[in-house]
Amino acid sequence: MVQSLNNLSETPSQTAGPYVHIGCMPTFAGNAGAYDEEIGTSPIADGVTGEIIEISGSVFDGTGTALRDAMLESWQPDAGGLFPGQPGADPAVSGLCRFAADGVSGEYRLRTVKPGGFSGRGGKWSAPHISLWIVARGINIGLNTRIYFDDEDNSADPLLNAIELKVRIPTLIAKKTGPGQYRFDIRLQGEGETVFLDI
Amino acid sequence: MTDLGALVPRNRAVHPPAYAPDYKTSVTRSPSLPLLSLESGPSEETGPVFGHNRFGALDNNLILNWSKGAAPAVGERILVYGRVLDERGRAVPNTLIEIWQANAGGRYRHVKDTYFAPLDPNFGGCGRALTDDQGQYQFLTIRPGAYPWPNRANDWRPMHIHISVYGHSFGQRLITQMYFEGDPLIALCPIANTIRERSNLDRLVAPLDMTMARPLDFLAYKFDIVLRGRRQTMFENRLEGL
């Protein structure tokens, strides 16, 4: 017998279910007042530096139907590409937002500051992007993806360049629809399926 | 506690597959193309930090927090406690744990739950806590009831508590469910059984712990949570090409 590694194994995921909002977004579940202050209600505070943008879209299942019970979380750096906690980061950027697909229309809306690009491990430059994590009934482990922007230079981004099937790259790029307005639809399955990440 | 290296890649064999057809909703909500695998970067290795100042005194007491301490919820009083660790067995301190659950009759306080078991006027069903410097957390709550759900014609969820954890980085984000030792519905549940190996499902089943029960007050169940770890070697931060 060889030595034991003594490592632990990650706790298995389970679906967040249809009532995830009770725990993470009480007001959305109809339970306003459960907490004095809910977590992740906005990724930015007053006085934030940079361009305020609004991203909207839907999460579609394999039949083209918009999910009306999905919860999304976004995580991003400030306009200068610094994440909360990094030296010099904008104190008005908390970076985290929780938002939900509307219970009737399935539309989500994310109001935030446009993130800056940044240099990652090995000095590789990442184009501006927002990380997304999607949970819902029927999703057994949260899905990771990213929102890039079609009015930025994405040509050198290491993640986009790692997508072997180039036709899939546009699934990660939000389309500008007006000043400060972007559209980003997520397709869980089938035609135009969004690239999801194991990262 | 230093967070330096890349996240250890997820061993997806311990997790449920996206497509698990006995859980019917997963059929149309599972990606059919492979995930894109990459080494983690700043987007995954950083994450939100939550301060104690945002938390109320009753946030981890579901027996009292909905009524703001005015009256207790109905049901079997239990303590749910445990530790958050990483894959190297190190404590994960100051991390946010959130839970949500049905009441003792299996009814959720949510605008979309229409099960005819009644709401408990003194039970909201959500709680949150930060782990201490040893990675420990605890909640006081009532044991949730089983409830029926529209999957196969007679499917019932076992008693369970939903648990959401952050860790110290966005790439450690995890939502899971805690089940209760001895519940015969676990073996029948298509959601619990999305997990391929029984030994991994067993890790979601909290044992009764009489040593933490308080006589004449509450029973106790232990639930430890393991999050992804990070690589930490002296070779970690070499410059490209060296």
Side-chain angles (χ1 to χ4, degrees), chain A residues 8-28:
Chain A
L8 301 177
S9 179
E10 190 184 12
T11 297
S13 173
Q14 291 271 267
T15 180
Y19 307 128
V20 57
H21 320 96
I22 295 175
C24 298
M25 301 178 66
T27 298
F28 186 89

Side-chain angles (χ1 to χ4, degrees), chain A residues 8-15 31 33 62 69 73 75 98 121 129 137-138 140 189 193 196 198-199, chain B residues 10 12 15 17 23 27-30 32-33 36 43 46 68 87 98 109 173 176 179 203 226 228:
Chain A
L8 301 177
S9 179
E10 190 184 12
T11 297
S13 173
Q14 291 271 267
T15 180
N31 301 334
D69 51 13
E73 289 186 353
W75 175 246
R98 285 175 162 172
R121 188 171 285 106
H129 65 268
R137 176 171 68 103
N140 290 323
Q189 185 191 83
E193 183 174 306
F196 296 105
D198 175 29
I199 202 164
Chain B
R10 212 161 218 157
R12 290 194 175 257
H15 295 288
Y23 176 24
V27 171
T28 57
R29 295 184 174 195
S30 45
S32 54
L33 294 170
L36 177 68
S43 292
T46 59
K68 310 294 183 196
E87 288 169 296
E98 296 161 291
R109 188 175 286 279
R173 194 79 180 83
T176 189
Y179 302 104
R203 293 165 55 219
V226 180
R228 294 171 69 182

Side-chain angles (χ1 to χ4, degrees), chain B residues 32-146:
Chain B
S32 54
L33 294 170
L35 303 180
L36 177 68
S37 295
L38 278 178
E39 184 169 57
S40 64
S43 292
E44 295 76 36
E45 294 162 14
T46 59
V49 175
F50 305 99
H52 289 268
N53 54 341
R54 309 170 72 162
F55 291 73
L58 292 176
D59 280 6
N60 69 341
N61 183 338
L62 287 76
I63 291 178
L64 290 176
N65 65 10
W66 182 252
S67 71
K68 310 294 183 196
V74 169
E76 184 181 332
R77 298 161 66 90
I78 59 170
L79 176 77
V80 175
Y81 82 97
R83 293 181 75 199
V84 182
L85 307 162
D86 72 12
E87 288 169 296
R88 300 202 186 287
R90 301 180 313 168
V92 182
N94 297 309
T95 192
L96 176 67
I97 301 191
E98 296 161 291
I99 67 171
W100 65 100
Q101 61 168 93
N103 68 21
R107 174 72 186 271
Y108 280 99
R109 188 175 286 279
H110 189 287
V111 286
K112 286 194 175 179
D113 188 2
T114 56
Y115 182 34
F116 56 71
L119 286 170
D120 175 348
N122 297 320
F123 187 73
C126 69
R128 61 187 185 183
L130 286 181
T131 57
D132 67 13
D133 55 7
Q134 306 295 312
Q136 301 177 107
Y137 73 91
Q138 55 181 3
F139 291 97
L140 205 56
T141 186
I142 54 96
R143 186 143 88 147

Side-chain angles (χ1 to χ4, degrees), chain A residues 58-96:
Chain A
S58 286
V59 184
F60 295 102
D61 71 11
T63 72
T65 306
L67 273 60
R68 293 172 298 127
D69 51 13
M71 183 181 83
L72 300 91
E73 289 186 353
S74 61
W75 175 246
Q76 64 168 95
D78 66 16
L82 293 172
F83 285 89
Q86 291 181 330
D90 183 347
V93 176
S94 67
L96 174 72

Side-chain angles (χ1 to χ4, degrees), chain A residues 103-165:
Chain A
V104 177
S105 70
E107 283 265 311
Y108 76 78
R109 215 172 293 278
L110 167 62
R111 183 178 178 275
T112 187
V113 67
K114 196 173 187 190
F118 57 83
S119 178
R121 188 171 285 106
K124 287 181 181 149
W125 183 259
S126 284
H129 65 268
I130 295 174
S131 291
L132 271 192
W133 190 68
I134 305 157
V135 294
R137 176 171 68 103
I139 295 177
N140 290 323
I141 179 167
L143 295 168
N144 287 98
T145 188
R146 286 183 180 180
I147 304 174
Y148 288 86
F149 301 92
D150 72 351
D151 55 348
E152 296 285 339
D153 177 6
N154 297 311
S155 58
D157 185 82
L159 185 141
L160 294 177
N161 285 328
I163 299 173
E164 192 181 343
L165 301 168

